[in-house]
Amino acid sequence: MIDFIILGAQKAATSALQDSLRLHPSVFMPMGESPFFEDPDFASQPWETFSETAPSGTIKGIKRPDYLCSDQAIERISTALPECKFIVVLREPISRTISSYCYMVRHAHLPALPLNVGLAECLRAYEAGENSRAATVISYSLYGAYLDKWFQAYPKENFLVLPQKSVGENLRGALVQCLEHIGVEGDASADIAIKAGESNVGLYDPKMLKIARIGSLLKTRPIKGSYRREPRSIPMRAFGSLFSKYAEARALQKQQIRETLSTDLTEKLTHLFDRDLETLEALLDARELGWK
């Protein structure tokens, strides 16, 4: 069974935590993300068997940032894993929303539109109550609304909430907090190893996003009845990877051109997220998050 889950948020340095937690001898975590509580995976109950290869006595965990702001995940996880503990990393919501939009374009979940046009469409989809990837670009930044639901499903002490800034500036310190939270005994810092290098290469340049999106379209295809995409044949993945790697290499080699969020859209998002912050402040000390 699963002892802990890195819940999210999306685009908030959760990969950096996972990559280093996996190196600790007391922790067992699979690589990448584990969509166990999403369709179509959910029907086979993979959480029951995923840890069969785990060394005896290890604390077992998974990562899936999509779970934080998912009503379905809250219901399914609280039923299947009533004793689970959670790690949550929160990022300033407007910057997370922009990063999420670029990620969705990069991985072919959304069309490659100019930033302000694309985010305006995401806001429209959210306000219309659509069940779509575009709507989640906005809703996945509503931390207060969804943490409130998680805190109704589990005791508050089951959650460790960290600001992204603290993870970025002091990863070792964040790892100590995570290890203590999930129940590693003894000196939690004794066996910490930090994985070198960047966990993800962020893409914001509109030209590079279009190239990376072509690579994703070649490498993956939609899964019917799901937001997700699945790998195509090996030759197609190899061909698509050429586009993806080129875009990532160019992003690392030169200063990326970033589009600027319009004043109108900034005001609309600020108003929406400020209202959610009021909910968040009632749940925890939001001042420690560092974006207000």
Side-chain angles (χ1 to χ4, degrees):
M1 293 293 280
I2 295 169
D3 299 307
F4 74 95
I5 299 175
I6 300 179
L7 277 182
Q10 271 189 358
K11 312 310 297 174
T14 55
S15 293
L17 274 183
Q18 179 192 31
D19 288 346
S20 291
L21 279 174
R22 292 187 68 249
L23 300 177
H24 197 280
S26 296
V27 176
F28 173 82
M29 290 189 80
M31 294 178 63
E33 298 189 9
S34 302
F36 295 167
F37 298 93
E38 300 170 22
D39 296 325
D41 301 54
F42 180 71
S44 62
Q45 300 184 337
W47 62 89
E48 296 279 3
T49 57
F50 99 102
S51 61
E52 289 180 350
T53 59
S56 177
T58 53
I59 298 172
K60 305 161 189 67
I62 61 171
K63 186 196 85 159
R64 183 63 170 169
D66 288 44
Y67 291 157
L68 176 60
C69 297
S70 166
D71 290 315
Q72 183 184 76
I74 296 170
E75 179 182 356
R76 288 178 171 182
I77 292 171
S78 60
T79 299
L81 306 171
E83 306 299 325
C84 194
K85 292 185 178 181
F86 303 94
I87 297 168
V88 182
V89 185
L90 299 183
R91 176 179 178 178
E92 189 280 319
I94 291 182
S95 66
R96 194 222 69 85
T97 299
I98 293 171
S99 182
S100 176
Y101 172 74
C102 293
Y103 175 89
M104 295 296 181
V105 171
R106 173 183 181 177
H107 292 281
H109 296 293
L110 293 176
L113 300 173
L115 177 66
N116 287 288
V117 176
L119 274 181
E121 172 58 22
C122 291
L123 184 58
R124 183 210 63 77
Y126 165 74
E127 291 175 338
E130 292 183 7
N131 181 21
S132 66
R133 272 295 195 191
T136 66
V137 169
I138 306 299
S139 65
Y140 280 17
S141 293
L142 298 174
Y143 313 134
Y146 283 95
L147 276 176
D148 186 35
K149 295 177 182 181
W150 278 105
F151 287 178
Q152 292 177 44
Y154 286 91
K156 191 174 179 179
E157 56 266 25
N158 283 36
F159 296 82
L160 173 65
V161 181
L162 300 169
Q164 184 204 25
K165 184 177 180 181
S166 72
V167 176
E169 294 179 351
N170 184 13
L171 179 55
R172 179 174 293 276
L175 288 167
V176 169
Q177 292 183 70
C178 291
L179 292 167
E180 291 176 346
H181 177 66
I182 64 178
V184 171
E185 297 180 354
D187 183 359
S189 65
D191 295 306
I192 285 180
I194 305 294
K195 182 181 176 182
E198 293 285 338
S199 296
N200 291 306
V201 178
L203 282 183
Y204 296 90
D205 189 305
K207 290 184 179 179
M208 294 303 103
L209 282 172
K210 289 180 180 179
I211 294 171
R213 186 175 184 274
I214 292 171
S216 293
L217 288 170
L218 292 169
K219 292 188 295 183
T220 64
R221 61 190 172 198
I223 299 176
K224 187 175 181 180
S226 170
Y227 287 156
R228 291 154 50 200
R229 300 178 67 86
E230 63 183 359
R232 293 184 187 270
S233 65
I234 292 176
M236 289 293 290
R237 293 190 335 245
F239 185 42
S241 292
L242 296 176
F243 289 82
S244 301
K245 290 178 179 178
Y246 172 79
E248 292 175 2
R250 289 286 292 166
L252 289 171
Q253 290 169 4
K254 70 181 187 71
Q255 186 72 30
Q256 294 192 64
I257 298 172
R258 296 196 182 205
E259 297 178 272
T260 303
L261 201 61
S262 69
T263 300
D264 178 61
L265 199 49
T266 299
E267 290 176 352
K268 289 179 179 179
L269 291 176
T270 298
H271 179 66
L272 175 64
F273 296 142
D274 278 354
R275 283 186 298 166
D276 184 70
L277 182 61
E278 294 176 4
T279 303
L280 189 62
E281 288 175 334
L283 301 173
L284 46 86
D285 188 354
R287 292 173 299 179
E288 297 180 359
L289 297 174
W291 65 70
K292 278 290 183 180

